[in-house]
Amino acid sequence: MKFFNERDFSLMLFVWSSLIFLSFGAYAYGEKNSPVFQIQRVYLKEISLVQPNSPSIFLLDENPTVEVTVDVTSMKLRDGIYEIEVSNVVTAKIRDKIAFVVKAKQAGIFEIRNLTAKKLDEVLGDGSANLIYPYLRANLADIISRSGFPPIHMTVIDFNKFYKQRKLAMIKTNG
């Protein structure tokens, strides 16, 4: 079973190497006010599965249509400590019947210090989500396959682009 493709691995390697420098490089150079980014914990916060038309849905010989929504939120827990949450809703339908709905939230607690307000906003909006999302993808594929359906392997999301689109939408809304 393959969890990461070559592009995923390269991106993760780049992100991890950057994080290692941010986390440990500053201390090695004795710089007290250097940027800090450390993962404290990654955890599955919530997951639910509903199959309102089982078992009859399994008798239909058609592929489901799938709708996916994704969101990223962050919350300051205390000075320099943040929770970043990636939530996902996957809805599969066959004809007009719901095959299943999976709602999941994967979260992480991060220590983030000594960043400008703009950089902190970027890290909270996209950088941390890139680290959490692979866990969420694996959990979604697992619960869907355990429910009797073929697993749905979520595609890689460019959270940097996602973040920029959300920022642009907020600017347009706020005028």
Side-chain angles (χ1 to χ4, degrees):
M1 188 181 311
K2 189 173 179 183
F3 288 102
F4 303 105
N5 63 31
E6 200 171 301
R7 182 174 167 243
D8 289 345
F9 183 74
S10 297
L11 177 64
M12 287 175 47
L13 187 60
F14 172 75
V15 169
W16 279 103
S17 63
S18 299
L19 295 178
I20 288 169
F21 176 76
L22 284 175
S23 298
F24 304 108
Y27 295 117
Y29 294 112
E31 299 175 24
K32 245 183 168 178
N33 293 324
S34 292
V36 174
F37 183 98
Q38 292 183 339
I39 302 170
Q40 302 294 318
R41 183 173 311 257
V42 175
Y43 55 98
L44 181 61
K45 189 170 184 174
E46 179 182 320
I47 195 160
S48 67
L49 166 74
V50 178
Q51 292 178 273
N53 293 300
S54 291
S56 63
I57 201 77
F58 292 115
L59 302 175
L60 300 177
D61 193 26
E62 295 178 36
N63 289 328
T65 58
V66 179
E67 295 176 19
V68 178
T69 60
V70 178
D71 196 19
V72 178
T73 57
S74 63
M75 177 175 60
K76 185 174 184 175
L77 301 176
R78 63 176 190 240
D79 187 41
I81 306 295
Y82 299 86
E83 178 191 58
I84 291 87
E85 179 182 283
V86 180
S87 59
N88 210 309
V89 178
V90 180
T91 305
K93 294 180 180 180
I94 299 177
R95 298 183 194 157
D96 61 340
K97 294 183 177 188
I98 293 176
F100 64 83
V101 177
V102 178
K103 296 179 182 178
K105 293 180 181 180
Q106 189 80 36
I109 299 174
F110 297 84
E111 178 181 7
I112 307 169
R113 298 180 188 279
N114 304 327
L115 297 178
T116 63
K118 181 181 178 191
K119 191 66 177 169
L120 177 62
D121 189 53
E122 289 174 8
V123 169
L124 294 175
D126 69 358
S128 304
N130 284 318
L131 297 171
I132 297 169
Y133 187 65
Y135 294 96
L136 180 61
R137 287 174 58 200
N139 284 323
L140 288 169
D142 184 55
I143 196 167
I144 291 168
S145 67
R146 289 178 186 269
S147 70
F149 292 94
I152 295 176
H153 296 286
M154 308 296 289
T155 60
V156 174
I157 295 176
D158 181 353
F159 282 99
N160 186 29
K161 186 176 180 181
F162 184 76
Y163 166 78
K164 288 177 182 177
Q165 288 172 342
R166 288 184 74 177
K167 282 300 219 186
L168 188 60
M170 286 177 22
I171 290 169
K172 287 181 180 179
T173 302
N174 296 333

